[in-house]
Amino acid sequence: MTRKLGYLALPLLMAAAFTSQARADGETIAVFTKNQTNPFFQTVRVGADNMAKTLNAKTLQYIPTKPDSIPEQLSQIEDVVVKKPSAIVFTPVDYKAMVPGVEKINEAKIPVVNITDRSAGGKFLSFVGADDYSLGLETARFLLKTLGGKGNIVIIEGVKGSLTNVDRVRGFNDALKEAPGAKLLASQPGNYQRLQALQVMENLMQSNAQIDGVLAANDAMAVGAIEALDGANRKAQVIGINGTKEAIDAIKSGKLLASGDYNGFAQGCLGTMMAIRALRNQPVIAEIVLKPTVITKDNYQPFDVPLEQRTCPTFEDAGKLGAK
């Protein structure tokens, strides 16, 4: 599948294979997200609900009670195959480990759209996500520019081996290579969890007398790092990724330097839109990769809008949002 946008024949053929007949409305869309602890996924779910309501469909949310649990998401797939929703919008908790689960969904002939983390296998109507490498690269560049291209830096990673973490940390490290005056002190996982990041940051501060910058692979961990810094009465510039409400509030108060916008609301909207359009035998876009935006104190205003007051993109907007 290429990254070229367009009203592609392949998704239409897949939709036709998956659905025996077009539906007018009232479809049930099962939305799979990774956890209830990362505010990003709440943003995705609100976007999905918003789009479903707009198109007179409804959602059924599947969320592991244990964050990012592979066994639990596999069990949820067993459940959804039995319940046979009209379509599925799917974020794998692990892009490799969940491939057998996706194959079960395919065997059950339930159409499925992949969002956020790109699955390593399986058949999908469409992919909607962001360029994690660019998100990492651009947010890290902003931090290093703020620090004058120098200083002691630590990276707090997400889940080791997860595709989002691999790409974001690769972007962080490439930005560091561009700043020879900066020194990477440590790169440790916080598993995308706020409390774990707080504990990682506390340990890093005990072994490093001077930390100037923190590159966190998501906003929840960035907030955890800030709490650790506050607890130790120390200062450092911190960036995150996701553009969550919590991050916007922290940027406004001066606690957080910046957040790479991952546009989870649009991902939820567009993933659900593509699923419903395919069910209604309407054209879909095979791949939408959203551009990164670094949210700072100078440009946060458009992002400082409650989720409930946001409006989903139109189909025409979708093409523009994902265009290179």
Side-chain angles (χ1 to χ4, degrees):
M1 185 180 293
T2 71
R3 298 180 66 178
K4 183 179 179 181
L5 291 172
Y7 310 150
L8 304 180
L10 177 60
L12 292 174
L13 292 172
M14 291 174 64
F18 282 129
T19 57
S20 58
Q21 60 182 17
R23 298 173 174 85
D25 56 31
E27 300 92 338
T28 298
I29 310 300
V31 180
F32 281 68
T33 46
K34 297 167 72 170
N35 57 62
Q36 300 190 63
T37 54
N38 185 345
F40 168 77
F41 290 109
Q42 176 60 14
T43 304
V44 172
R45 290 189 284 270
V46 173
D49 290 347
N50 187 311
M51 180 55 72
K53 184 178 180 181
T54 300
L55 297 177
N56 197 27
K58 57 186 177 183
T59 58
L60 184 62
Q61 301 288 349
Y62 281 85
I63 313 165
T65 55
K66 181 180 178 182
D68 299 49
S69 169
I70 293 172
E72 195 170 348
Q73 192 171 68
L74 284 170
S75 174
Q76 290 177 336
I77 287 175
E78 297 284 350
D79 180 73
V80 84
V81 166
V82 172
K83 289 184 177 174
K84 277 196 173 295
S86 309
I88 295 172
V89 174
F90 188 73
T91 305
V93 297
D94 183 291
Y95 77 110
K96 291 181 179 177
M98 296 313 300
V99 171
V102 176
E103 290 172 346
K104 284 188 178 180
I105 294 171
N106 292 155
E107 291 168 5
K109 300 193 182 306
I110 303 171
V112 55
V113 173
N114 183 194
I115 65 169
T116 307
D117 289 40
R118 192 188 297 270
S119 174
K123 298 176 182 176
F124 295 95
L125 295 167
S126 177
F127 172 76
V128 181
D131 182 343
D132 285 288
Y133 172 77
S134 295
L135 281 165
L137 182 69
E138 296 303 328
T139 50
R141 280 175 171 169
F142 186 79
L143 172 72
L144 293 165
K145 181 180 178 182
T146 301
L147 294 175
K150 59 185 179 182
N152 293 331
I153 310 297
V154 298
I155 294 175
I156 303 181
E157 302 186 24
V159 176
K160 284 280 190 184
S162 71
L163 192 57
T164 54
N165 183 63
V166 169
D167 286 347
R168 290 175 192 180
V169 173
R170 186 163 58 89
F172 288 163
N173 282 308
D174 282 356
L176 284 167
K177 291 174 185 173
E178 298 172 351
K183 180 182 179 182
L184 179 62
L185 299 176
S187 186
Q188 297 184 7
N191 295 321
Y192 290 134
Q193 302 298 315
R194 179 174 177 162
L195 179 58
Q196 290 185 38
L198 184 153
Q199 294 166 340
V200 167
M201 192 66 200
E202 287 176 339
N203 292 334
L204 289 171
M205 286 191 294
Q206 288 179 4
S207 53
N208 296 281
Q210 181 66 40
I211 296 175
D212 302 298
V214 180
L215 295 163
N218 79 348
D219 287 339
M221 296 193 299
V223 171
I226 290 169
E227 290 172 339
L229 286 161
D230 286 348
N233 197 26
R234 288 174 61 168
K235 301 290 184 184
Q237 297 286 2
V238 181
I239 65 98
I241 288 177
N242 281 163
T244 60
K245 180 184 184 304
E246 196 170 29
I248 302 301
D249 289 343
I251 289 170
K252 288 163 62 178
S253 69
K255 290 280 188 180
L256 183 69
L257 178 65
S259 176
D261 177 33
Y262 203 21
N263 211 337
F265 182 80
Q267 290 189 34
C269 292
L270 297 175
T272 304
M273 176 196 287
M274 295 306 147
I276 294 172
R277 287 182 65 89
L279 291 168
R280 298 177 184 179
N281 287 337
Q282 296 172 329
V284 300
I285 301 173
E287 180 158 314
I288 302 172
V289 179
L290 303 168
K291 298 181 184 71
T293 299
V294 180
I295 304 172
T296 72
K297 63 180 176 58
D298 295 323
N299 68 352
Y300 72 82
Q301 288 87 354
F303 304 91
D304 191 22
V305 178
L307 288 175
E308 294 73 17
Q309 296 178 18
R310 297 186 186 184
T311 303
C312 280
T314 65
F315 184 64
E316 289 70 26
D317 292 336
K320 297 174 185 174
L321 285 170
K324 292 182 179 178

